Amino acid sequence: LSAVYQCLVECSEFDGASLCAFSKVPREWSQDGWVRTLDGGYLASSLSFSHDRITDATGKAVMMRWEEPIMRAHAAALCCGAPSLSGSDVLNIGFGMGLFDEAAQALGPRSHTIVEAHPDVWANMHARGWASRPRCALVFGRWQEALPRLGLYDAIFYDTFGEGVAEFDAFCAVLPALLRPGGRFSFFNGFCAHSARLHTSFAMRTSACLGVLGLRCRFQLVPCAPPGEEGWRGGSGGGGRTQCMHSWS
C-alpha cells in the first residue's frame, strides 16, 4: 500500500493539472478549498474578531486560536537551534491573529517587521498596541506592493490568507533579495490540505523549488487540537480554514 501511495504522490508531483493549474482558476473558494481570491474578495470583506478566531463576512474562519502551537513551532524553527532570535531581523508576511508574532516577540528579535494587507486586521493590530512595540515595524499593504519598503532579514515567515500557489511561488522567487546568507524561511503549509496525497506532493515540490535557491527544506509534524466541525466552520454556514490531512510546516 505504501508503494502505491508513493507512486501516486510522485505522479501528482509531475502532473501540472494537479499542482499548478488550480492557480489559474477563478479566484474564489474552489471546491477543494485550495485558493481564495484577493481580487475584490478577501481584502474587501469585513472581518469579525473574537478571542479564539477571525471570521469573514460569510462566517468562514480566517484564523483560529487552535493554530497557536503551529505558530510557536514556526517561531522556534526560525531560531535554527538557538535559544532565541536575539540578533536576528525577522519579517512576517501576514499578521492574522498575531499568534506567530507573539511567539517571535517572546524570542527577542533585534527587529520585527510585519506586513499586513487587510484593513480590519491592520486596525486591530493598532488597537492592540503593536505600533508601539519596541523594535517592531508595521507595513501596510500586500507583500507585492511592500517589497520596495523592505530590507534584508535573518528569519522570514509567510502565512497569507487569500493567496494561492502562484503567489507563494512568486514570494519564493524574491526570497534571495530578502534573506541574508544563512537565513531561515518558514511558511504555513496549508496548501492542498484536503488531500494527504496532494499535500505530500506539494511538500515535495516545494522542497525541490527551495532547493534550487540553496535552501534545505524540512517539514515538521506539529501536534495540535482542532475543534469539532462547528469550530471549522467559524459559526453557521460556510467552510472554515481548510482542514489539514497531513503535516504542517
Side-chain angles (χ1 to χ4, degrees), residues 35-93:
V35 63
R36 188 171 182 184
T37 182
L38 278 174
D39 304 329
Y42 168 64
L43 292 184
S45 67
S46 296
L47 303 182
S48 297
F49 298 81
S50 68
H51 169 72
D52 66 341
R53 71 191 63 195
I54 301 174
T55 53
D56 68 9
T58 66
K60 295 183 177 73
V62 174
M63 192 170 196
M64 292 172 280
R65 177 67 59 178
W66 67 261
E67 298 173 61
E68 191 166 9
I70 301 170
M71 298 301 155
R72 288 200 301 264
H74 280 296
L78 291 177
C79 292
C80 203
S84 74
L85 286 167
S86 176
S88 294
D89 296 312
V90 176
L91 171 65
N92 177 29
I93 306 295

Side-chain angles (χ1 to χ4, degrees), residues 38 42-43 91-95 113-123 125-126 137-150 158-161 163 171:
L38 278 174
Y42 168 64
L43 292 184
L91 171 65
N92 177 29
I93 306 295
F95 180 80
T113 300
I114 307 169
V115 177
E116 174 55 50
H118 199 290
D120 291 350
V121 176
W122 180 256
M125 293 169 67
H126 282 264
L138 309 185
V139 179
F140 180 71
R142 295 179 63 190
W143 63 263
Q144 295 91 332
E145 302 155 354
L147 283 174
R149 291 173 278 170
L150 303 179
Y158 176 96
D159 180 18
T160 63
F161 188 83
E163 293 192 331
F171 185 79

Side-chain angles (χ1 to χ4, degrees), residues 20 45 47 49 137 174 176-177 207 210:
C20 298
S45 67
L47 303 182
F49 298 81
V174 300
S207 181
L210 292 175

Side-chain angles (χ1 to χ4, degrees), residues 74-238:
H74 280 296
L78 291 177
C79 292
C80 203
S84 74
L85 286 167
S86 176
S88 294
D89 296 312
V90 176
L91 171 65
N92 177 29
I93 306 295
F95 180 80
M97 293 177 68
L99 302 180
F100 167 81
D101 297 285
E102 291 285 5
Q105 283 275 296
L107 293 170
R110 177 169 56 193
S111 72
H112 183 178
T113 300
I114 307 169
V115 177
E116 174 55 50
H118 199 290
D120 291 350
V121 176
W122 180 256
N124 183 260
M125 293 169 67
H126 282 264
R128 292 169 55 186
W130 277 89
S132 60
R133 294 236 184 169
R135 301 180 300 281
C136 193
L138 309 185
V139 179
F140 180 71
R142 295 179 63 190
W143 63 263
Q144 295 91 332
E145 302 155 354
L147 283 174
R149 291 173 278 170
L150 303 179
L152 288 173
Y153 303 91
D154 304 288
I156 298 176
F157 179 57
Y158 176 96
D159 180 18
T160 63
F161 188 83
E163 293 192 331
V165 169
E167 290 84 1
F168 177 75
D169 286 349
F171 185 79
C172 289
V174 300
L175 266 178
L178 296 171
L179 199 59
R180 288 193 177 107
R184 290 87 63 195
F185 170 58
S186 191
F187 63 94
F188 184 84
N189 188 25
F191 291 111
C192 315
H194 68 293
S195 164
R197 175 175 63 88
L198 292 176
H199 185 70
T200 304
S201 187
F202 178 80
M204 294 171 63
R205 170 191 181 275
T206 301
S207 181
C209 291
L210 292 175
V212 172
L213 299 177
L215 295 173
R216 288 181 292 108
C217 193
R218 179 177 64 87
F219 292 90
Q220 176 183 346
L221 187 65
V222 180
C224 54
E229 181 66 17
E230 185 66 15
W232 282 107
R233 294 183 179 276
S236 58

